[in-house]
Amino acid sequence: MSSPITQEFQQAPASLPSVACAEPVLRGMLCRALAQRDFSHYLTLFDSHKRMRPFLELIPSLDDAEYWVLLRSVWISTETTYPHTAEWLALLQASRPDREALMSPEDREVFDSLPETLTVFRGCDSAAGARGLSWTTDLERAVKFAHYSCGPRRLIFGGRKHYRAFPRVMGGTCEKSDVLAYFNERGEQEIVINPEAVSFNPVPVWPFDWAS
């Protein structure tokens, strides 16, 4: 027997704005995914940088475990999270049960093995860019992100609003107890944390001759 939520999607899936504005073929695929409650597939039908809105529309219909699993998927697939820092922070700090579903068992095992105080790095294109949620324990990875943050894709996807940008890596420390999530699905050793909980030096740790 169908649940009330499933019936809702079967009867009027096009009522969701992200579905209503889709072109006909895509709209049909979206409606079928909703009717089957295949929310993971539903979200993959949107470009990776456009998945936050459809995810937000789904939230009232998600149980707690679905919420955290899908939030992880949307976060990992989103190319740049900086333009929506406040929204992401609210989602990551949601007071919903089953929060353990946010991290995979493999990531949870690695996270549990980390020290109580972490040294973290963030690649960015300006000092203001250090106020983001995504950090890493890997300096080399942060250097790659610093170069990426100054590239053309960040202009396209809204992470940067100007052409003059200089790659830099900010370093800092944080307490493991303040970390919202640890993700390593893409080998990034990513620490997701409220930037207010990171004590960082305003002088970049890379390039190493920055202050000379």
Side-chain angles (χ1 to χ4, degrees):
M1 181 176 181
S2 300
S3 69
I5 294 175
T6 301
Q7 291 173 357
E8 170 192 339
F9 286 137
Q10 289 174 335
Q11 294 166 3
S15 63
L16 295 180
S18 294
V19 177
C21 66
E23 54 89 17
V25 174
L26 176 59
R27 188 183 309 133
M29 298 169 64
L30 293 170
C31 289
R32 283 192 294 274
L34 287 174
Q36 297 168 5
R37 287 188 63 83
D38 189 351
F39 299 137
S40 179
H41 177 59
Y42 171 78
L43 291 172
T44 64
L45 295 171
F46 297 92
D47 291 337
S48 62
H49 61 288
K50 295 180 179 180
R51 290 176 186 167
M52 176 181 273
R53 177 184 173 186
F55 173 72
L56 292 174
E57 294 169 358
L58 287 178
I59 288 177
S61 303
L62 301 177
D63 64 33
D64 295 315
E66 287 174 330
Y67 173 88
W68 293 114
V69 169
L70 288 173
L71 180 60
R72 176 180 72 211
S73 175
V74 174
W75 173 274
I76 290 174
S77 66
T78 297
E79 187 145 350
T80 175
T81 59
Y82 185 73
H84 303 288
T85 297
E87 292 89 340
W88 279 114
L89 191 57
L91 292 170
L92 290 160
Q93 293 180 322
S95 56
R96 297 184 66 144
D98 296 331
R99 184 180 179 84
E100 62 274 10
L102 178 59
M103 287 190 276
S104 69
E106 294 79 11
D107 286 347
R108 169 62 65 182
E109 182 176 358
V110 174
F111 179 70
D112 288 344
S113 71
L114 296 177
E116 294 305 313
T117 300
L118 305 173
T119 298
V120 293
F121 307 97
R122 179 172 167 81
C124 49
D125 65 354
S126 66
R131 296 294 180 182
L133 299 169
S134 180
W135 296 69
T136 177
T137 57
D138 184 344
L139 176 56
E140 290 186 6
R141 176 65 63 173
V143 171
K144 291 179 181 179
F145 275 115
H147 287 295
Y148 168 76
S149 71
C150 297
R153 291 183 67 85
R154 277 297 173 92
L155 282 173
I156 295 172
F157 294 120
R160 179 161 54 86
K161 301 184 183 301
H162 53 86
Y163 284 91
R164 288 181 56 82
F166 303 94
R168 69 199 74 193
V169 174
M170 311 304 289
T173 59
C174 67
E175 297 303 311
K176 186 163 76 168
S177 58
D178 291 324
V179 174
L180 299 171
Y182 171 85
F183 299 126
N184 195 38
E185 186 171 316
R186 296 181 296 190
E188 296 173 355
Q189 300 177 49
E190 183 180 18
I191 297 292
V192 183
I193 188 170
N194 185 336
E196 298 299 325
V198 178
S199 299
F200 66 91
N201 191 320
V203 178
V205 299
W206 181 90
F208 303 115
D209 61 349
W210 186 276
S212 62

